[in-house]
Amino acid sequence: MTLDSSTLLVGSTPAFCMFAFTLLGLHIKVPHDLAGALQHFAAGLLLSAVGTELLPTLLQASGFVENAGATIGFASGMATLIVLSAIFSDEDGEDKE
């Protein structure tokens, strides 16, 4: 595989845009409701991407060991998220900002 200018352009364009819009976004105040909506949208995109990558693998799992590994991995991940949410939340039940 060779590294040519088109590869660099395709790889660096999204990285540059993310960096530029991050700098722009640091100076913009977003209303709380809009920030929540954007966070939910980003979470949906993330779940969609993860589901697209992992679901075919999980559906093709066969045998006890592969299915047990998938189940234990999913349960461990969810438990970790729940514990971290409980540790880092306010006493009101709201997440810290």
Side-chain angles (χ1 to χ4, degrees):
M1 181 170 86
T2 61
L3 188 64
D4 58 3
S5 61
S6 64
T7 305
L8 287 173
L9 181 66
V10 168
S12 63
T13 301
F16 174 76
C17 288
M18 286 180 8
F19 180 71
F21 285 111
T22 297
L23 292 178
L24 178 69
L26 289 174
H27 302 290
I28 296 175
K29 287 289 184 187
V30 178
H32 187 69
D33 291 341
L34 179 60
L38 290 173
Q39 288 173 352
H40 281 86
F41 177 70
L45 287 177
L46 181 65
L47 285 173
S48 174
V50 168
T52 301
E53 290 293 323
L54 292 181
L55 196 58
T57 303
L58 293 175
L59 290 175
Q60 293 173 357
S62 62
F64 177 76
V65 174
E66 289 182 7
N67 285 305
T71 303
I72 292 169
F74 177 78
S76 299
M78 290 303 298
T80 301
L81 290 176
I82 291 169
V83 168
L84 288 175
S85 176
I87 290 172
F88 293 111
S89 66
D90 289 345
E91 50 276 343
D92 296 336
E94 295 289 323
D95 291 336
K96 293 180 183 177
E97 292 191 28

